[in-house]
Amino acid sequence: MQFHETDEQQMIRELVRDFAETVLPPTIEHRDNNQIPPAAEWQEFLDFGLQGITIPEEYGGNPVDDISEAIIIEELARVDPSFAVMYCVHVGLCSKTITLHGNDDQKSRYLPRLAAGEVGAYSLSEAGAGTDAAAMTCKAKLSDDGSHWVLNGEKMWVTNGAQAQIYVLFAKDVDHPDYGVKKHGGSTAFIVEQSYEGFTVGKKEDKLGIRSSDTCTLILENCKVPAENVLKAPGKGFGIAMNALDNSRIGIAAQGLGIAQGAFEAALKFAHERETFGKPIAHHQMITAYLADMATRIDAARLLVYKASWAKQNHYENGGPRHSKEASMAKLFAGDTAMWVAERAVQVLGGYGYTKEFPVERFFRDAKITQIYEGTQEVQRIVIGRAIQP
């Protein structure tokens, strides 16, 4: 059992950390205050070629191991969680899903575009179908001539919703034999482009945190999707969605880890600079205890995130069992750690931590979503509970 990073993983960490610390900070506050997606920053990021890490080389990708993927997300979130989740959805929920479940034609048409930097998105949730994904009501019907599908309904909480050009989107085939018989009956995954007739980007959410991440409603009004854009086959969407969530939960766990690390580093720096009663507050017993507990929880979260990443690569991707338990454990603990550490960081900074002058206020707001999206913490406990039954 190895606990050190490979030379390649260390190089990737240093590369992404340099980008995150150099390119992202000058615009973070403005983008957060005004809910502006990091479009210009994304274009600079493309120079590193890391947008194609889940895409095979034959389609223009630059694949890396799954622990390296977690490291990239962690390092981005350590500075800018909004950029991290934009990236996470692009490489994971969109690109990875097409890589795993697309046919040769679909891969040839879409993966090179995603590898070149066109932004990808993923759309499963609806107003009444978030945690209960099978309850979605967005409908799909094949045209009489079989040339295209017609989609109708509204999707919600779509990260990269307005930025994306390519979406993995789910709807129910109303003519499928299981439609109306099974709760997830007819669930089908489609590759949808923003340019398609009948596709409209709707309301942009005004959020507590990750405000520089684009979160929108999508409106489908007789949206025409080519018949060849169905992933796998009609009715196979629910399995695709569950696999995508197993993978993306590790990305969210890495995001939580990065948020915790960033908040901890800000608190540690402040604690050694701020003096009370003749010494730095880091030397006061209670603050020392806070910092020690923060560091310990972060290390524990990192081990769970990397273990889940290892399980994804060495189990599922090589024909082994699903990694649902490992992914949910990582997401559960890292999300709770992000929130716990960010709250303690605000406390360490005191009144300063409650102002926008220091980043812990933003980390505190950004951390909360890691306990909610890609399955709430309550759902993670259900998944873990089922996995540990004898």
Side-chain angles (χ1 to χ4, degrees):
M1 185 177 295
Q2 302 293 326
F3 289 95
H4 63 270
E5 296 174 2
T6 66
D7 290 343
E8 182 180 4
Q9 288 165 352
Q10 290 177 349
M11 181 191 71
I12 288 173
R13 184 184 294 280
E14 292 170 5
L15 181 72
V16 178
R17 178 169 291 197
D18 181 67
F19 166 82
E21 291 182 343
T22 303
V23 176
L24 298 177
T27 61
I28 287 178
E29 185 176 351
H30 176 71
R31 287 188 283 108
D32 181 73
N33 288 339
N34 297 282
Q35 297 199 97
I36 299 172
E41 294 77 9
W42 177 253
Q43 290 302 313
E44 290 197 49
F45 186 69
L46 298 182
D47 292 340
F48 300 104
L50 297 176
Q51 70 278 5
I53 62 167
T54 56
I55 297 172
E57 290 182 0
E58 59 264 37
Y59 299 107
N62 183 27
V64 299
D65 66 276
D66 289 287
I67 292 177
S68 292
E69 180 182 342
I71 288 171
I72 294 168
I73 297 168
E74 173 191 350
E75 286 297 327
L76 292 172
R78 174 179 161 269
V79 176
D80 186 355
S82 290
F83 192 97
V85 73
M86 172 190 173
Y87 177 77
C88 186
V89 170
H90 171 83
V91 299
L93 287 171
C94 186
S95 301
K96 184 78 166 182
T97 300
I98 296 174
T99 294
L100 288 176
H101 304 289
N103 57 37
D104 290 342
D105 173 67
Q106 291 164 346
K107 292 177 183 179
S108 295
R109 285 190 289 125
Y110 288 106
L111 292 182
R113 292 170 57 183
L114 292 164
E118 289 191 46
V119 178
Y122 178 92
S123 180
L124 177 64
S125 297
E126 298 178 7
T131 296
D132 186 5
M136 64 181 172
T137 60
C138 186
K139 295 178 173 59
K141 185 175 179 61
L142 189 63
S143 64
D144 292 339
D145 64 3
S147 65
H148 63 272
W149 291 81
V150 179
L151 275 57
N152 281 285
E154 289 192 10
K155 311 297 288 187
M156 286 191 69
W157 315 117
V158 184
T159 299
N160 302 342
Q163 282 185 286
Q165 291 84 40
I166 300 167
Y167 305 75
V168 173
L169 185 146
F170 295 81
K172 287 187 175 180
D173 172 11
V174 297
D175 294 323
H176 193 275
D178 290 336
Y179 179 75
V181 178
K182 298 179 180 179
K183 190 170 184 179
H184 58 76
S187 298
T188 303
F190 299 86
I191 302 174
V192 179
E193 299 189 40
Q194 190 177 124
S195 60
Y196 285 171
E197 177 185 341
F199 182 100
T200 306
V201 176
K203 173 189 174 185
K204 181 176 180 177
E205 301 297 339
D206 188 3
K207 308 189 300 293
L208 168 72
I210 57 166
R211 290 172 56 82
S212 182
S213 168
D214 202 3
T215 307
C216 299
T217 298
L218 303 181
I219 302 169
L220 306 167
E221 295 181 307
N222 294 323
C223 178
K224 298 175 69 173
V225 179
E228 60 268 23
N229 278 28
V230 171
L231 286 170
K232 281 195 171 179
K236 298 293 185 182
F238 193 72
I240 293 173
M242 294 303 100
N243 170 238
L245 289 175
D246 279 347
N247 294 333
S248 66
R249 281 170 181 163
I250 300 173
I252 299 307
Q255 182 190 1
L257 173 61
I259 290 171
Q261 185 67 41
F264 168 72
E265 290 177 7
L268 183 66
K269 182 175 184 293
F270 181 89
H272 282 280
E273 293 174 350
R274 171 72 166 169
E275 292 190 2
T276 61
F277 307 106
K279 60 182 178 181
I281 63 171
H283 296 169
H284 291 295
Q285 187 175 26
M286 185 59 73
I287 302 301
T288 300
Y290 276 166
L291 295 171
D293 286 347
M294 292 158 76
T296 301
R297 293 195 186 203
I298 290 169
D299 266 15
R302 183 171 285 110
L303 289 171
L304 280 172
V305 171
Y306 292 1
K307 179 186 177 183
S309 300
W310 178 90
K312 179 173 71 169
Q313 181 158 321
N314 291 279
H315 290 172
Y316 180 81
E317 293 177 11
N318 287 296
R322 286 178 61 182
H323 50 284
S324 304
K325 183 188 74 171
E326 291 87 352
S328 288
M329 283 182 169
K331 197 268 186 189
L332 173 67
F333 192 82
D336 286 350
T337 296
M339 196 64 196
W340 190 90
V341 170
E343 190 275 336
R344 292 301 186 281
V346 171
Q347 193 69 21
V348 168
L349 270 70
Y352 290 106
Y354 204 67
T355 71
K356 291 184 179 293
E357 183 179 351
F358 291 86
V360 294
E361 174 269 343
R362 177 171 49 80
F363 282 128
F364 182 53
R365 289 186 288 107
D366 289 349
K368 185 59 191 175
I369 193 61
T370 65
Q371 296 179 310
I372 298 173
Y373 58 14
E374 304 311 307
T376 63
Q377 305 300 70
E378 292 77 15
V379 166
Q380 306 313 316
R381 289 182 168 90
I382 291 172
V383 173
I384 296 165
R386 288 173 178 168
I388 62 177
Q389 293 302 317

